[in-house]
Amino acid sequence: MGDREADIYELFAQAALEPAGPKLLIRAQHDRQVQDEQARLFEAIQRQPIAGYQIVKLPRQKNRPAREAKLAIRFAALTLCAPQDKAHLSALEIWTVLAKEEDTPEGVEPIEWRLLTTLAVQSFEQACEKVAWYPSAGVSRCFIARSKAAAASKIAGSVTVTGWRPAWPSTWS
């Protein structure tokens, strides 16, 4: 699982080479070209019909109180074209889920998550499952990152990140 900074084409390409390998669920950052479509990724998923609605509980963050959000769920299987500077890579078949808040309280920025996954999303229930995984991953990731940073600062005084390696839940199928 990853936030927008993990939207790296090569990561999906590597996962595609190993079908039994790691499964990805990443929030989209790049509005990529979609094969056989006039529209790019963000417009292509927005064009999909609403499959249903999901209510999610959003935890308190900074100046935003905890609240419930009503998300319109759309999903589709799309084929992403390789970036122009990575033309040697193949197009990728990917599942995408759009969770977009409706009936947002006045003065509140609506939630809009565009998720990319290597896991099949063939039903509203499967799309809701992916949406439910996303915010809980963010909460866990923030807690773990803060805990590690606090522990490391006690030992070394500072932390420098020189690389990263994604951690894959072993329970995904």
Side-chain angles (χ1 to χ4, degrees):
M1 289 185 222
D3 209 357
R4 289 174 282 206
E5 64 273 3
D7 182 6
I8 302 168
Y9 195 86
E10 294 88 340
L11 189 60
F12 285 98
Q14 184 63 40
L17 294 175
E18 303 173 36
K23 308 301 181 211
L24 304 177
L25 176 67
I26 294 175
R27 185 171 174 191
Q29 177 177 3
H30 304 289
D31 192 11
R32 301 185 188 283
Q33 183 65 43
V34 178
Q35 192 172 38
D36 301 327
E37 292 273 340
Q38 296 289 5
R40 297 183 74 80
L41 173 63
F42 296 169
E43 186 180 337
I45 188 61
Q46 180 66 42
R47 287 182 181 176
Q48 302 302 313
I50 294 174
Y53 293 90
Q54 180 179 16
I55 305 296
V56 296
K57 292 183 180 184
L58 300 172
R60 182 181 62 81
Q61 285 187 341
K62 297 180 186 173
N63 298 328
R64 184 188 79 192
R67 66 183 177 89
E68 286 189 344
K70 177 184 175 184
L71 304 178
I73 306 296
R74 294 172 164 89
F75 65 93
L78 298 171
T79 302
L80 302 180
C81 299
Q84 289 180 350
D85 63 337
K86 310 238 184 322
H88 63 282
L89 296 173
S90 300
L92 295 173
E93 292 182 22
I94 200 105
W95 290 93
T96 183
V97 176
L98 172 62
K100 189 172 183 178
E101 185 173 12
E102 293 190 352
D103 305 325
T104 308
E106 188 174 326
V108 175
E109 185 176 343
I111 299 297
E112 186 170 357
W113 296 323
R114 295 177 194 97
L115 306 176
L116 305 175
T117 184
T118 56
L119 296 161
V121 181
Q122 299 173 328
S123 68
F124 172 68
E125 291 75 19
Q126 288 178 334
C128 287
E129 176 184 57
K130 306 319 179 265
V131 170
W133 287 348
Y134 176 70
S136 62
V139 171
S140 300
R141 185 175 57 248
C142 291
F143 174 75
I144 291 167
R146 287 185 186 133
S147 298
K148 286 182 179 177
S153 66
K154 288 179 184 174
I155 297 169
S158 67
V159 177
T160 302
V161 177
T162 58
W164 65 279
R165 180 180 170 195
W168 311 111
S170 60
T171 58
W172 290 2
S173 56

